[in-house]
Amino acid sequence: MLNYPRKIRNSLKKLGRGKSLRIVLEGVHDPKYEQLVDSLREQLFAEGHLMERQTDYHSLLRFLRMSDFDLSKAKDKFVQCLRWREEYGVDEILKEFKFEEYAEVKKCYPHGYHGVDRNGRPIYIERIGMVDLNALLQATTVDRFVRYHVSELEKTLNIRFPACSIAAKRHIASITSILDVKGVGMSTFSKTARSLFMEIQKIDSNYYPETLNRLFIVNAGNGFRMLWKALGTFLDARTLAKIHVLGYNYLSNLLEVIDQSNLPSFLGGDCTCSDYGGCLFSDKGPWQNPEILEMLQSASIMEETYDSETDSDVASEEAMGTSQNEDCGDGGNTEAQKIHALEVALMDTNKEIQALKAALDNMKAVLERLEQHIKALRV
């Protein structure tokens, strides 16, 4: 969550991409918030809570917004987020968690990302009224479903948002969501359902704040409206202001912000994604575009190369520093120590050259594929 904006920004610099693309991915920094973000960064760094890779402007700004720009509260919430990520093992989830029951879960809990709104934001859809909770709990557990939910949040922050930013040519960092609640009422909201809702809501609001642009709740009947009065008490005022509860005549509201081609047919749109077994199975969006993914992959490779160079530079400096310190205590070994330090520095430099060569080869391959694709489009 905290790495991707800086990672993409620095990588694009090394890739030699245009300044405009870097601005798209990094986004515009509002001068009136810049000082607050800097102050929060300084406080976190002074207390040892923040590393350089976690100083992203937009991530810190989200925590400031959720805290009504109270620096002390924002710092506490950010630290709580870091602690939760470590205790919950978010990084391990990304590397090791496999949700083998994905297809079965989709059948009894229809949900997924599908296209973008008119401003280029990802669209997330759930058909709550079609959830079969008993079947869901036979296919998976609450704990595994929540871990899957976290993995999807991370994918959105690290892949979907930057991919949408490239496609829209503007910084994208929030989603438009649609919940279809047809048939949902007090009787369908069991204790287990409440528990799952509360856990997911807590994670979303506390650890991934300010990533919701707006939420449309459609097909809301009288039963759901009674339920909503109870559910609304668990949501903060900022979130409630983004939620629009609509009845059965909702289509015009959706079409104001979503093109009909990006709206599934079951919501009144034109899309069916028949090749994928339905819109909620397709994960349709710019994050599936091979060219955009290659750009992001190349950026990641270049960032890893940069990190490797930095580590090598530090090691070389440490080796030279050790040599100099020892020189002061033992004049007889001065020349040998200097030679050893230079040999270490030379080895590190050779490693850097090899890493750069590999990265350039990879970049050359990407550019050749893009050139072939452009030629094919011209034909």
Side-chain angles (χ1 to χ4, degrees):
M1 175 186 69
L2 305 173
N3 298 348
Y4 90 86
R6 172 184 173 272
K7 183 173 186 177
I8 297 298
R9 179 178 72 249
N10 288 342
S11 300
L12 286 170
K13 288 179 181 178
K14 297 170 186 61
L15 284 168
R17 300 286 186 187
K19 180 180 178 182
S20 60
L21 185 54
R22 294 200 299 271
I23 292 174
V24 164
L25 289 167
E26 171 60 14
V28 177
H29 292 192
D30 192 324
K32 69 180 179 180
Y33 297 135
E34 192 88 53
Q35 186 174 354
L36 281 169
V37 170
D38 289 342
S39 297
L40 176 57
R41 182 186 293 115
E42 289 170 5
Q43 288 187 21
L44 289 163
F45 187 79
E47 296 183 13
H49 295 302
L50 200 63
M51 302 298 290
E52 182 184 356
R53 66 186 180 87
Q54 297 166 335
T55 58
D56 167 51
Y57 167 87
H58 293 287
S59 293
L60 296 181
L61 182 59
R62 285 202 296 270
F63 282 86
L64 281 165
R65 289 186 188 279
M66 76 178 293
S67 306
D68 293 323
F69 295 96
D70 184 311
L71 274 174
S72 179
K73 290 181 179 178
K75 183 191 70 173
D76 291 343
K77 290 181 182 297
F78 192 89
V79 172
Q80 290 171 11
C81 177
L82 293 179
R83 188 177 299 119
W84 169 79
R85 289 179 67 85
E86 183 177 356
E87 293 174 352
Y88 199 67
V90 174
D91 292 337
E92 285 70 27
I93 289 174
L94 291 173
K95 296 175 183 177
E96 302 171 3
F97 181 71
K98 304 296 181 185
F99 199 59
E100 293 89 355
E101 58 268 43
Y102 174 83
E104 286 301 313
V105 166
K106 283 273 190 175
K107 293 176 184 177
C108 50
Y109 192 149
H111 68 282
Y113 286 86
H114 184 271
V116 296
D117 67 14
R118 295 186 185 276
N119 287 312
R121 299 183 183 91
I123 301 170
Y124 177 73
I125 302 170
E126 288 191 5
R127 304 186 75 177
I128 303 296
M130 298 180 64
V131 173
D132 184 337
L133 192 58
N134 291 329
L136 175 65
L137 295 179
Q138 289 178 1
T140 189
T141 64
V142 171
D143 178 69
R144 283 185 60 79
F145 185 83
V146 173
R147 288 181 178 275
Y148 158 69
H149 179 74
V150 169
S151 71
E152 284 295 298
L153 289 173
E154 290 290 317
K155 182 178 179 181
T156 297
L157 287 167
N158 289 285
I159 300 177
R160 292 189 179 101
F161 283 162
C164 286
S165 297
I166 291 175
K169 297 181 175 61
R170 57 184 292 270
H171 181 69
I172 300 294
S174 60
I175 67 170
T176 292
S177 188
I178 304 172
L179 298 187
D180 183 353
V181 297
K182 185 176 182 180
V184 176
M186 294 294 291
S187 61
T188 60
F189 203 60
S190 65
K191 181 179 179 180
T192 303
R194 287 196 302 272
S195 175
L196 182 59
F197 168 81
M198 292 294 294
E199 181 65 20
I200 287 178
Q201 189 276 329
K202 182 182 75 172
I203 289 173
D204 290 358
S205 60
N206 290 344
Y207 310 130
Y208 299 88
E210 299 298 318
T211 54
L212 175 68
N213 178 58
R214 70 179 77 188
L215 166 62
F216 294 100
I217 298 178
V218 302
N219 288 321
N222 292 332
F224 176 81
R225 291 180 186 274
M226 291 178 60
L227 175 62
W228 181 243
K229 290 181 180 179
L231 294 177
T233 61
F234 297 104
L235 303 175
D236 60 85
R238 290 183 63 84
T239 301
L240 285 172
K242 301 175 182 179
I243 299 175
H244 308 273
V245 181
L246 308 173
Y248 300 104
N249 298 316
Y250 57 81
L251 184 57
S252 60
N253 297 82
L254 296 185
L255 291 178
E256 287 180 7
V257 297
I258 302 172
D259 187 83
Q260 199 150 351
S261 63
N262 276 321
L263 199 62
S265 58
F266 60 79
L267 290 174
D270 295 335
C271 191
T272 61
C273 290
S274 56
D275 293 341
Y276 298 92
C279 291
L280 298 187
F281 283 89
S282 69
D283 198 24
K284 165 186 173 181
W287 51 91
Q288 298 287 4
N289 185 315
E291 294 177 27
I292 290 177
L293 289 178
E294 284 184 345
M295 292 171 67
L296 295 176
Q297 182 182 21
S298 297
S300 178
I301 291 171
M302 293 300 289
E303 176 66 14
E304 289 172 3
T305 302
Y306 171 75
D307 289 341
S308 176
E309 292 171 17
T310 303
D311 292 341
S312 295
D313 289 343
V314 171
S316 299
E317 290 171 4
E318 289 177 349
M320 292 294 288
T322 299
S323 173
Q324 292 171 0
N325 291 336
E326 291 176 350
D327 285 348
C328 296
D330 187 356
N333 293 329
T334 298
E335 293 302 322
Q337 291 166 348
K338 285 183 178 180
I339 292 172
H340 176 70
L342 289 172
E343 288 175 344
V344 171
L346 182 60
M347 290 175 62
D348 290 336
T349 301
N350 286 333
K351 289 179 181 178
E352 292 171 19
I353 292 172
Q354 293 302 317
L356 284 171
K357 184 178 182 300
L360 288 171
D361 288 343
N362 182 275
M363 193 61 209
K364 180 181 178 182
V366 171
L367 292 174
E368 287 175 351
R369 288 196 292 272
L370 287 175
E371 183 181 8
Q372 292 173 0
H373 182 72
I374 292 171
K375 288 180 178 178
L377 289 175
R378 288 174 178 171
V379 175

